[in-house]
Each structure stands twice: as structure tokens, then as C-alpha cells.
Amino acid sequence: LLCLSLSFCVEFAQTFVGGRVPSMGDVIAQSVGAIIGLAAWVLLGRRLTRMIAISAAGGDGALRAALLLMVFGYVGYALFPFGIILPGRGVLAHFNHPGTFSLWPDDSAMGLRFILLSLVKSLVLMPLGALVALNPHRPAKDGLVQAIALGLLLSAFLMMCRVFFLWSGTDTVFSGLLRAAGAPMGYLVW
């Protein structure tokens, strides 16, 4: 009820701001988001606070908890801004846009910024590889294969979210492979 009330207040306040248009669709979308957030907290809140406490306390399991928190934090950040296109015309325009899904970035995207972002994309999944490496009961060869598989799966998941959940912006297969390479790099560095 608090989230619904806040949503109504925000939309009402937009009537007094030039260029802003209140929308009942926004109230519904914000209410659905609040319900999803509440459900996620009910399902994961205790685990999350326990992982934070373990990480802060140090000792056995602190590193594992911290690495897991880093991976979850990155996934949350990668999915941000959580905006979904709802109107039918927006969905069609999204899938008709040639940049929705491509193998390689266009020439205008190349340059120093592209190189730095590619490096960062690889580095942010290194904690996932380190997490795999922390398991002492696995042969090294199996651990590397698992790190590669987890990196590819997580990167594919994020790419599919960007395409099918209709976030604005694009992701390329090349970019996804760079991101996936971070997990085996983290495993090997560890």
C-alpha cells in the first residue's frame, strides 16, 4: 500500500511539472515492480543479510560470501535500469531495430572507450571464476571448464535479458564473449 500510494503521489506531482505527463500505466508498472521487490526480499532477504554478515565478520566463508555478493551485485547492475517497453509498437520497434542484437559492434563504437569497456566487462566476472576456484574438492581441469561454462551461461543470460526484456541499448555477441572470458580469467588468476 505504501508503494502504491507513493506511486500515485509521484504521478500526481508530475501534473505540476512542465513536460511531464502522469500515466496510469506508470502507476501499474511501479506497483508491479514493488510487488516483485517485496517478493524478492521475502525469498532472498535473510540469505542476503546473512551473506553480508558473514562477509563482514571475516573468517571461514567470508571470502566466498564476498565473492558471491560481488557477482549478484554485478548482475543487478548489469540489468539496471530495469525498464521494460510495454506498448505493442515499442516491442515491434525494438525487434525491428537492426542494433537490437548483432555479432560485432559497429565502427562508430570502436575506439579507446570500447577497449576500456571491454576490459571492464571481462574484469567484473573474475570473482565468479575465483568462487569456482575456492572449491578444493574439484580437479583443476574440471574447475576451469566449470568457470568457462558459468561465464558463458551468465553472459548469455544477461544478453537475453537485454534482448527479450526489451531494455533499450544493445549487446553484441563479441561483448558477451568478452564478459564471459572474465570467469575463466578469475579462475586462472586465483
Side-chain angles (χ1 to χ4, degrees), residues 6-138:
L6 179 62
S7 181
F8 273 116
C9 289
V10 167
E11 291 303 313
F12 178 72
Q14 288 185 8
T15 60
F16 303 107
V17 178
R20 301 293 302 193
V21 178
S23 166
M24 203 54 184
D26 286 349
V27 172
I28 293 168
Q30 292 162 2
S31 299
V32 169
I35 291 168
I36 291 170
L38 290 169
W41 182 255
V42 167
L43 293 172
L44 302 172
R46 284 192 179 140
R47 289 184 189 137
L48 180 63
T49 53
R50 188 172 61 239
M51 281 195 321
I52 292 170
I54 290 170
S55 170
D60 293 343
L63 181 60
R64 189 179 317 271
L67 290 171
L68 200 54
L69 285 169
M70 288 173 68
V71 171
F72 284 134
Y74 170 68
V75 170
Y77 174 76
L79 294 178
F80 189 79
F82 311 112
I84 298 174
I85 303 167
L86 292 177
R89 288 181 306 220
V91 172
L92 290 176
H94 176 77
F95 281 107
N96 286 334
H97 188 273
T100 297
F101 186 77
S102 62
L103 295 175
W104 186 261
D106 61 7
D107 292 338
S108 64
M110 303 302 271
L112 181 60
R113 182 176 186 270
F114 173 77
I115 292 168
L116 291 174
L117 283 174
S118 298
L119 178 64
V120 168
K121 283 184 178 188
S122 293
L123 293 176
V124 294
L125 275 190
M126 287 181 76
L128 181 61
L131 195 58
V132 171
L134 282 173
N135 185 349
H137 306 294
R138 180 184 309 105

